[in-house]
Amino acid sequence: MRWLAKAFAVAALVGQTLSQDPPTFPFPTSCSGVDAPRYAYTVDSGWQVTKIASGLRQPRTIIFDNAGHMLVLQATSGISVHTFGPDGCINSTKTLVQNSGLNHGLSLTPDGKTLYASSQTTVWSWTYDQAALTLTGQKTVVSGIGQGIHSTRTTVVSPKNPNLILVSVGAASNWDNPTIDPSVGRAIVKIFDVSKAPANGYSFNSQGTVLGYGLRNEVALAFDPNGHVWGAENSGDDFRRTVNGQSTDIHIDNPAEELNYLGDPEAPLANTWFGYPTCFTVWEPSNFRDNTALKTGSQFVVSPNSTFNDASCDGKAVPPRLSFPAHMAPITNAFDPAGTNLYITFHGSWDRQPAQGYFVAEVPFQKNADGNYEPVAPADSKTGYKNIIGAQNPGSCNSPSLTMSTCWRLAGLSWDPAGERLFISSDNQAQGEIFVLKKK
């Protein structure tokens, strides 16, 4: 009878793949052969979590095809695809492409037929076959991307118009002053129409449309249900506030990480400058004794003077819609299917003691009367998010490099096609892990 049960299970999975409904799988309480979690964590009482994969190489990005297969970009290694068995655990793994240059960007068109991935300098596309689990026909889509300390190149496909892809490039240094000019091609998010791409692909700096610039390192990009873009920004390090020649260290709690509304890729905002490298966002206003009008979410400059001061940012730079504590390093964000919450992975800080971050945030959203989405919390809130799972003792985490830490380094995040299970990854080089979460 066991063979008959297996046959029914296989038939059910095949039926799911062939149907129009997204495939669904049970939530596993454990998965055979998967190592125990490498690092201690705590999870909110409204969620359940299971580790489903171990031994991966820096799993940076997670996405799903329309058949429910999980694709993972493993940084400095390549792209793998993982299928699920009837128990909800991974039952097969296959390498789709080996490329040590791939380090972050991974996105699939809504029809599941074209895959995009990026290295520090280039975005490629392939034809993807979700039945055969193969990639063919590699093409260069965008090239000539500059290099710097921020090497990831987030690449995402617009769900409303799959011909449009967004590519994010961070600043080349902590203070990349030339980026005040968007033509330098850094600290920027650009739009490229692949239906009009030149035979050899676009040149990043000289082609494409600016969605937003003055974005120090907008690694996390997500589309709300309207297809509008929300970016989470890694802001600056080692800041000092200098007023009338007197310098004060403010870097422990400032500047804030940012949640920015970047708008509709088919109709970019009238003002696309988000402040960097001049205007930054306050998290802890008590550090600014010279300007008591500042509050969380306000814009400030590091060295105000008679020519340009904090107030000068108003009306010039687009402020964030919401802020987060300094140095937490947002990496990936994604909305739930209803658009009622935005989820963000925070990689964790290296530039403050005690450390902070190392968790997944849930940011409540609402749909306004005009049909647009925005966070429920006001822009000056310090409580506009909730920690749903995070390192057990984040203050003691020590992270001497991007992927080395005494705690997990949360990176990838994706809902499955049914919108039932939330997958997250840790790209700590000591052990690459993937976990699945589900609301109770």
Side-chain angles (χ1 to χ4, degrees):
M1 295 299 292
R2 290 184 63 189
W3 68 267
L4 188 59
K6 289 182 178 179
F8 281 128
V10 171
L13 291 176
V14 171
Q16 288 173 349
T17 300
L18 295 177
S19 72
Q20 296 299 310
D21 296 326
T24 60
F25 299 94
F27 183 85
T29 55
S30 65
C31 290
S32 177
V34 176
D35 294 341
R38 179 69 178 265
Y39 303 99
Y41 60 80
T42 58
V43 62
D44 182 82
S45 60
W47 291 79
Q48 53 189 326
V49 59
T50 299
K51 182 176 174 179
I52 62 162
S54 56
L56 301 175
R57 183 168 180 174
Q58 298 174 36
R60 185 75 178 182
T61 307
I62 301 170
I63 63 173
F64 284 84
D65 67 19
N66 295 333
H69 307 138
M70 180 174 68
L71 283 71
V72 180
L73 188 142
Q74 300 184 51
T76 72
S77 177
I79 303 168
S80 55
V81 59
H82 310 261
T83 65
F84 292 89
D87 60 355
C89 294
I90 293 171
N91 67 355
S92 76
T93 295
K94 179 181 178 181
T95 299
L96 289 173
V97 63
Q98 290 183 318
N99 183 334
S100 61
L102 296 176
N103 64 3
H104 183 78
L106 187 68
S107 190
L108 194 61
T109 52
D111 64 8
K113 295 181 179 180
T114 304
L115 183 72
Y116 296 90
S118 65
S119 70
Q120 186 170 182
T121 62
T122 308
V123 177
W124 293 281
S125 71
W126 295 263
T127 298
Y128 175 61
D129 185 329
Q130 69 181 25
L133 301 179
T134 56
L135 292 178
T136 56
Q138 178 177 309
K139 296 179 181 178
T140 298
V141 180
V142 181
S143 63
I145 303 173
Q147 302 183 48
I149 62 168
H150 300 122
S151 62
T152 58
R153 307 292 179 241
T154 304
T155 303
V156 291
V157 179
S158 167
K160 276 178 54 181
N161 183 350
N163 287 326
L164 301 182
I165 65 166
L166 276 54
V167 182
S168 175
V169 176
S173 60
N174 194 31
W175 293 99
D176 193 354
N177 291 320
T179 61
I180 195 70
D181 178 358
S183 69
V184 304
R186 299 189 300 273
I188 195 169
V189 178
K190 299 187 82 171
I191 310 161
F192 297 91
D193 187 339
V194 296
S195 70
K196 301 176 181 178
N200 295 324
Y202 286 104
S203 174
F204 185 83
N205 285 12
S206 61
Q207 297 175 295
T209 301
V210 175
L211 182 67
Y213 73 107
L215 298 162
R216 182 179 176 274
N217 194 22
E218 207 83 357
V219 182
L221 297 175
F223 296 93
D224 67 24
N226 289 336
H228 295 189
V229 182
W230 292 82
E233 181 171 347
N234 293 251
S235 196
D237 302 312
D238 299 322
F239 273 32
R240 301 185 70 86
R241 171 86 160 180
T242 302
V243 181
N244 298 324
Q246 298 296 312
S247 180
T248 303
D249 186 349
I250 62 170
H251 91 277
I252 295 296
D253 291 314
N254 291 287
E257 312 286 47
E258 301 180 0
L259 179 63
N260 293 307
Y261 172 67
L262 303 186
D264 185 350
E266 297 189 76
L269 301 172
N271 181 11
T272 57
W273 184 55
F274 287 78
Y276 180 83
T278 306
C279 300
F280 298 89
T281 300
V282 174
W283 176 255
E284 179 46 63
S286 65
N287 292 163
F288 299 86
R289 297 179 181 178
D290 64 288
N291 186 352
T292 57
L294 294 176
K295 57 185 179 180
T296 298
S298 296
Q299 299 280 275
F300 74 93
V301 298
V302 293
S303 301
N305 55 53
S306 59
T307 303
F308 203 101
N309 56 35
D310 301 330
S312 303
C313 295
D314 297 340
K316 292 185 175 65
V318 181
R321 181 53 187 80
L322 200 64
S323 306
F324 305 104
H327 313 303
M328 296 207 305
I331 299 297
T332 303
N333 56 352
F335 284 90
D336 59 24
T340 54
N341 292 288
L342 176 70
Y343 295 85
I344 308 174
T345 55
F346 286 101
H347 214 218
S349 66
W350 65 270
D351 194 30
R352 82 185 302 275
Q353 292 297 329
Q356 60 186 2
Y358 306 93
F359 69 90
V360 177
E362 179 183 77
V363 182
F365 263 66
Q366 63 190 5
K367 187 176 183 179
N368 295 331
D370 63 3
N372 290 322
Y373 290 81
E374 68 168 344
V376 171
D380 62 354
S381 175
K382 281 191 170 183
T383 59
Y385 64 93
K386 176 183 179 180
N387 179 338
I388 64 166
I389 185 170
Q392 188 174 77
N393 186 11
S396 66
C397 296
N398 179 27
S399 300
S401 75
L402 182 65
T403 57
M404 293 177 62
S405 181
T406 57
C407 296
W408 62 6
R409 304 303 302 271
L410 294 173
L413 179 148
S414 181
W415 287 93
D416 68 10
E420 296 176 346
R421 301 178 300 167
L422 181 64
F423 290 74
I424 62 173
S425 72
S426 166
D427 68 349
N428 191 319
Q429 68 183 47
Q431 183 180 136
E433 303 173 284
I434 295 180
F435 298 80
V436 59
L437 293 92
K438 187 176 182 180
K439 287 188 175 181
K440 293 181 178 178

